[in-house]
Amino acid sequence: MNIILLGAPGAGKGTQARVLVEGRNMVQLSTGDMLRAARTSGTEMGKKVAAIMDAGQLVTDEIVIGLIAEQLDGDTKGGLIFDGFPRTLAQADALGDLLAAKGMELDAVVELRVDDEALVDRITGRFTCGNCGEVYHDRTKPTKVEGTCDVCGSHDLKRRADDNEDSLRQRLLEYYKKTSPLIGYYHCKGNLNAVDGLQAMEKVTADVAAALDA
Ligand code: AP5
Ligand code: MG
């Protein structure tokens, strides 16, 4: 089963993707994570996208489509989770073409629906394990032992450069202008499922599972 997790910044895409990786042996393909990895390793592309990401703008379709295309040859295990991709109509068309060329299908699109007000708190309180990628929140999901990842024990807990109110405002603007049209696009294709992303994490997980198993 190949799925897209669609939603505004902070909607919970990464959080729910990790649950699906764990529970269903799926593969998470997060273009945000791939771009951050390129920045950390200092590649030419990483240097090119750094300022764009920090300002909360979208990087070019060409770059992210290239990143996703590279991943489709790997082991797809229990299926692919597209997290943060596609984000424009051009990316959605490209994904359809890439999957068709591999004889693969898109089975479901899950839209995590949230209110803008909740997102400021989610984004400014977020931190992530630099080693295993587990996502935390100061208030709603702190680590059990301060400064130590619950999953892998690493002390490398990080905050993202774009997790501040100014970047978030720009990210939201980009979401409404360029990404939210995908809701209508996938609705028309008949594979859109909306889930209330404002509920507690476990409840969101249960609703995502129900949507995928329907
Ligand atoms: P990306 O990394 O994809 O960021 P984003 O879309 O802004 O989404 P986030 O990762 O911020 O949020 P999330 O939905 O994953 O939420 P999370 O689960 O972490 O992209 C970053 C940048 O890269 C973009 O701005 C752009 O520049 C570039 N980029 C990436 N892909 C691109 C593309 N396709 N095209 C062009 N450019 C691209 O949760 C957030 C917080 O909330 C966490 O602390 C979590 O613990 C908490 N939380 C989660 N669920 C709940 C809940 N139910 N209740 C309470 N708290 C919760
Ligand atoms: Mg994410």
Side-chain angles (χ1 to χ4, degrees), residues 108-168:
V109 178
V110 178
E111 181 205 353
L112 298 172
R113 208 169 270 179
V114 286
D115 280 345
D116 292 358
E117 281 117 79
L119 300 178
V120 178
D121 174 62
R122 285 200 186 175
I123 289 293
T124 53
R126 169 172 50 193
F127 58 100
T128 311
C129 175
N131 181 50
C132 74
E134 187 67 3
V135 185
Y136 294 98
H137 188 276
D138 292 327
R139 197 173 43 76
T140 57
K141 194 184 167 190
T143 53
K144 292 193 180 84
V145 177
E146 203 185 326
T148 306
C149 176
D150 296 352
V151 176
C152 71
S154 168
H155 300 298
D156 182 20
L157 300 174
K158 295 180 172 165
R159 291 187 194 262
R160 276 168 44 178
D162 59 344
D163 277 354
N164 57 71
E165 285 196 41
D166 284 346
S167 289
L168 175 61

Side-chain angles (χ1 to χ4, degrees), residues 6-13 15-16 110-123 139-140 176 194-205 207-208:
L6 189 63
K13 303 179 294 291
T15 299
Q16 296 304 326
V110 178
E111 181 205 353
L112 298 172
R113 208 169 270 179
V114 286
D115 280 345
D116 292 358
E117 281 117 79
L119 300 178
V120 178
D121 174 62
R122 285 200 186 175
I123 289 293
R139 197 173 43 76
T140 57
Y176 288 118
V195 166
D196 177 2
L198 284 177
Q199 308 173 98
M201 285 177 210
E202 298 71 23
K203 185 73 178 63
V204 178
T205 299
D207 285 2
V208 170

Side-chain angles (χ1 to χ4, degrees), residues 4-21:
I4 294 172
L5 292 180
L6 189 63
K13 303 179 294 291
T15 299
Q16 296 304 326
R18 289 185 64 83
V19 175
L20 294 167
V21 166

Side-chain angles (χ1 to χ4, degrees), residues 17-96:
R18 289 185 64 83
V19 175
L20 294 167
V21 166
E22 193 64 32
R24 297 182 185 230
N25 193 32
M26 294 177 80
V27 179
Q28 177 187 11
L29 298 181
S30 159
T31 39
D33 287 349
M34 292 172 205
L35 292 165
R36 281 184 287 278
R39 290 179 63 167
T40 307
S41 57
T43 63
E44 274 314 306
M45 188 268 279
K47 288 180 199 156
K48 201 163 131 188
V49 299
I52 299 171
M53 293 176 76
D54 291 351
Q57 283 156 355
L58 294 188
V59 310
T60 64
D61 289 337
E62 191 190 357
I63 288 177
V64 289
I65 291 166
L67 287 171
I68 287 291
E70 280 170 21
Q71 300 294 321
L72 295 186
D73 291 325
D75 184 358
T76 59
K77 298 187 183 172
L80 302 176
I81 307 162
F82 297 97
D83 162 6
F85 180 93
R87 257 170 149 101
T88 63
L89 291 167
Q91 291 177 26
D93 282 337
L95 178 61

